[in-house]
Amino acid sequence: MGFGDRLRRRGVLGMNRRNIEFTQFENPRRLYPLVDDKLKTKMLCEKAVIPVAPVLGKAEYHAGVKRLVADLQGRGDFVLKPASGAMGNGILVICEAVEEGWITAGGRIITPGDLAYHAESIISGLYALGGKPDVAFVEERLLIHRDFEPIASSGVPDVRFVIYRGVPVMAMTRLPTNRSGGRANLHQGAVGAGVDLRAGRTNFAIVHTTPVEEHPDTGVRVVDYPLPSFQDALRTSLRATDETGLGYVGADVVVDQERGPILLELNARPGLAIQLANRKGLLPRLEKIRNANLEDFDLDERIEFGCRIAEAS
Ligand SMILES: Nc1ncnc2c1ncn2[C@@H]1O[C@H](COP(=O)(O)OP(=O)(O)O)[C@@H](O)[C@H]1O
Ligand SMILES: [Mg+2]
């Protein structure tokens, strides 16, 4: 039996099937712009009183970059990012002001000129889906929750939830590393740790595709670790997803030290590595949800249903 067959037998969802049966079938195309543009997602959340990171400024055209950078003079920390980026690409996490400009989460020095150049690149579409012209925006930097500190370095962890027809399917927390430059994206080298939906505790962990038990920088055990405010984060992810009308979503939530759970972004094509981090396939859970009649389920009942399915798989 080949590798592909073995994965399928364990209920691992592959790229083709995700694209056809979940992304395309469950997510109407006309709704994509709501989640493909992080500024639009923020507006949607604000209307529903779901907490998001406040925007400090944005530049839609090259002419706006000078002003954007000038407005940041004297500010110690912020995050510059592309409105239509993905996988952490193009995100610059700034932690501290210094004489030359600022220091990034990855320890690099950034001058105002560098910052302007980065914003220009974002606007040109360097980091955007499909390379289309994009909007550069600046957000307040979220702060790592105290209880996450032992298991992350140089950035804010997030929690990714996969949600299908309003039911939570699987979760993982992503823990930044020195290599990932303050970003909690697996593609940047962050640790991905699967999380038990009911207990809110990590079960397994990976870096890229390799299983790990400890954080590569701090050496602290990342498995069997209880996450702060996990149930609140889960509710936040579901409430935001409910606003979109999308059927298959990856929702990213950051638990901020002061503000609690903050909705960071939603994805209409969530990645598949969450299965590696949990050592569980998505398919058996997705199929149970697809076959269920959820019509009269409220949010709490959907959570209970998701937890029960997760426990049984
Ligand atoms: N405002 C912020 N404050 C601190 N860290 C942030 C902020 N925005 C993003 N990050 C870091 O960058 C990662 C990726 O951000 P996200 O908005 O999800 O973009 P992407 O679509 O590229 O994944 C987050 O998981 C987090 O670690
Ligand atoms: Mg993300």
Side-chain angles (χ1 to χ4, degrees), residues 194-265:
V195 182
D196 197 276
L197 276 182
R198 197 185 298 278
R201 271 177 182 271
T202 56
N203 43 35
F204 301 101
I206 51 165
V207 172
H208 293 294
T209 54
T210 309
V212 295
E213 297 227 320
E214 286 148 20
H215 191 283
D217 305 325
T218 68
V220 174
R221 244 175 97 77
V222 294
V223 294
D224 201 27
Y225 193 95
L227 303 191
S229 302
F230 179 77
Q231 293 305 328
D232 281 347
L234 171 56
R235 297 181 75 83
T236 302
S237 74
L238 290 173
R239 285 179 56 219
T241 301
D242 284 351
E243 292 301 313
T244 63
L246 292 164
Y248 190 66
V249 170
D252 295 350
V253 178
V254 168
V255 179
D256 179 80
Q257 168 65 34
E258 269 135 41
R259 286 181 265 217
I262 302 265
L263 195 284
L264 199 54
E265 65 149 343

Side-chain angles (χ1 to χ4, degrees), residues 54 60 68 70 74 85 88 105 107 137 141 186 194 217 224 292 300:
E60 282 178 64
L68 184 75
F137 74 102
R141 180 168 72 112
L186 300 183
D217 305 325
D224 201 27
D300 289 317

